[in-house]
Amino acid sequence: MGRAREHWELLRAALEKTDVEAVDAMYAPDAVWLEPHNPPHETNKLIAAYLSSWMQARENIDVTTKRLLESGDGSFVAVEWAISYTAAGRRWNSLPRSSWIEVGDEGITYHRDYL
């Protein structure tokens, strides 16, 4: 298993546990995270702050990996996944997502999510 896949598994687990410290630790200091409908999140601290706010508004988060493709050198991963959670008194089930993640020596350097 390569570094990118390991980071995906750590991120998936951190989201399910709502572990902001783990999220902060896995992104490189100069990381960039892009997602639809929001401006870029730049630096591990801003990514962690955004995800902390996002996770605080949700309960019982479940992330299921559907498909995963990793580059031969283990530095890139493309993941098709689904997320379920409870928010505002309602359960949201199996919302489809996909992510492209690049990992460098200091952690995740590039993360792009697609809805």
Side-chain angles (χ1 to χ4, degrees):
M1 176 167 32
R3 291 178 302 152
R5 183 182 186 129
E6 289 173 9
H7 276 76
W8 164 252
E9 292 299 333
L10 290 170
L11 178 59
R12 184 192 59 72
L15 290 173
E16 289 184 341
K17 294 176 190 172
T18 63
D19 187 346
V20 177
E21 290 176 12
V23 169
D24 181 33
M26 73 183 66
Y27 283 87
D30 62 347
V32 175
W33 180 38
L34 306 169
E35 65 174 343
H37 315 297
N38 280 315
H41 307 287
E42 298 174 329
T43 78
N44 59 333
K45 300 299 182 202
L46 292 178
I47 292 168
Y50 172 74
L51 285 176
S52 174
S53 175
W54 185 90
M55 288 186 284
Q56 287 176 15
R58 288 153 182 81
E59 298 175 337
N60 302 318
I61 298 171
D62 179 58
V63 177
T64 304
T65 302
K66 304 289 187 173
R67 289 182 181 84
L68 186 141
L69 298 171
E70 188 174 35
S71 65
D73 66 358
S75 65
F76 292 91
V77 68
V79 186
E80 181 183 348
W81 54 286
I83 190 165
S84 301
Y85 55 82
T86 302
R90 179 178 173 200
R91 184 73 181 161
W92 301 83
N93 290 307
S94 299
L95 302 172
R97 302 286 187 266
S98 69
S99 297
W100 291 84
I101 296 172
E102 179 180 0
V103 176
D105 292 336
E106 296 184 272
I108 297 172
T109 58
Y110 176 85
H111 181 157
R112 183 168 197 132
D113 277 352
Y114 296 91
L115 304 179

